[in-house]
Amino acid sequence: DIQAAGAPMLRPRRPETCGRCHIGVYEVYKESVHGVAAIQEHIPDAPVCSDCHGEHKIAIPVDGEITSICSKCHAEEGMMSKYKIPVDRSTTYEQSYHGIASSYGSKTVANCASCHGYHDILPPTDPRSSVYPANLVSTCGKPKCHPGISSKVGSAKIHVDIDEKESGGIYYVRRVFMWIFVGLVVVTFIWVASDLARRIRQKDKG
């Protein structure tokens, strides 16, 4: 019953197909937010195995690729608004220390999966989720990340938009430095322009 590419509910794209062999992974995936959406709710946009691992060229995503794989959906404004999911998760990650370090090629900095998991991604409102507020200390406090991290992390806002006032001190510090930079540019321009004008007047007199 081989079907043409693009056929609705194409068999190779069904998680159940991969689950016949990858039983343990399938059992975890089907309970995740993605698995529930794909298997129980039959949402066509829900990510399935091939969206992350590929189809014919199946591979395990390396750390440097995970953020871009997640961003294919989570940075897509139309899709995110359709399902009432915040669309700023990719951009706020990129603005963070983790995102900046990743852009410079760090292989050890946290990516999406470091915090949210791989096959077991759950909504942040689910007590079983690794990003549920009560679980953030253990998630962020992993030995290879921030061991001994303060319990205050549970009440902190993680995805912070530095262009919004809600980000608190980050927003105002950034604004102060921006205005200092602009001020220095203006003062430098005035100083150079006045010095240049003075030199031109002296040259004309001479």
Side-chain angles (χ1 to χ4, degrees):
D1 60 347
I2 297 174
Q3 302 173 46
M9 294 301 292
L10 191 62
R11 179 181 167 190
R13 285 187 54 81
R14 297 176 185 170
E16 294 90 342
T17 301
C18 301
R20 292 177 182 175
C21 296
H22 301 278
I23 301 170
V25 172
Y26 175 72
E27 290 299 316
V28 173
Y29 167 81
K30 74 177 184 179
E31 298 296 326
S32 73
V33 65
H34 294 151
V36 170
I39 299 169
Q40 297 181 26
E41 300 175 0
H42 305 291
I43 294 175
D45 295 319
V48 295
C49 310
S50 55
D51 289 306
C52 300
H53 295 281
E55 294 176 343
H56 297 110
K57 196 175 180 179
I58 298 170
I60 299 174
V62 297
D63 287 345
E65 298 173 340
I66 290 173
T67 301
S68 60
I69 290 172
C70 299
S71 294
K72 286 190 294 185
C73 293
H74 286 277
E76 215 291 298
E77 189 170 349
M79 186 186 298
M80 293 299 98
S81 60
K82 179 180 179 180
Y83 299 105
K84 297 181 174 59
I85 300 172
V87 73
D88 67 344
R89 295 307 183 241
S90 293
T91 55
T92 51
Y93 171 80
E94 292 166 3
Q95 294 171 348
S96 71
Y97 168 80
H98 294 151
I100 293 171
S102 177
S103 70
Y104 279 102
S106 173
K107 302 298 182 184
T108 58
V109 71
N111 54 48
C112 307
S114 304
C115 303
H116 295 276
Y118 294 87
H119 302 110
D120 57 342
I121 299 171
L122 294 166
T125 53
D126 190 321
R128 299 172 298 164
S129 171
S130 56
V131 292
Y132 185 71
N135 300 331
L136 284 176
V137 172
S138 59
T139 298
C140 301
K142 295 172 185 174
K144 66 175 183 178
C145 296
H146 307 283
I149 195 169
S150 169
S151 59
K152 292 182 180 179
V153 69
S155 60
K157 182 174 174 58
I158 305 301
H159 282 274
V160 177
D161 187 344
I162 60 176
D163 293 319
E164 297 293 335
K165 291 183 178 180
E166 288 74 13
S167 61
I170 297 174
Y171 171 85
Y172 293 103
V173 169
R174 186 167 183 265
R175 283 292 183 271
V176 167
F177 275 100
M178 285 178 63
W179 282 113
I180 289 175
F181 175 76
V182 171
L184 287 172
V185 170
V186 171
V187 169
T188 302
F189 175 79
I190 294 172
W191 183 82
V192 171
S194 60
D195 184 64
L196 182 61
R198 180 180 60 79
R199 290 173 183 271
I200 292 173
R201 286 196 300 269
Q202 288 179 344
K203 185 178 181 181
D204 291 340
K205 290 179 181 179

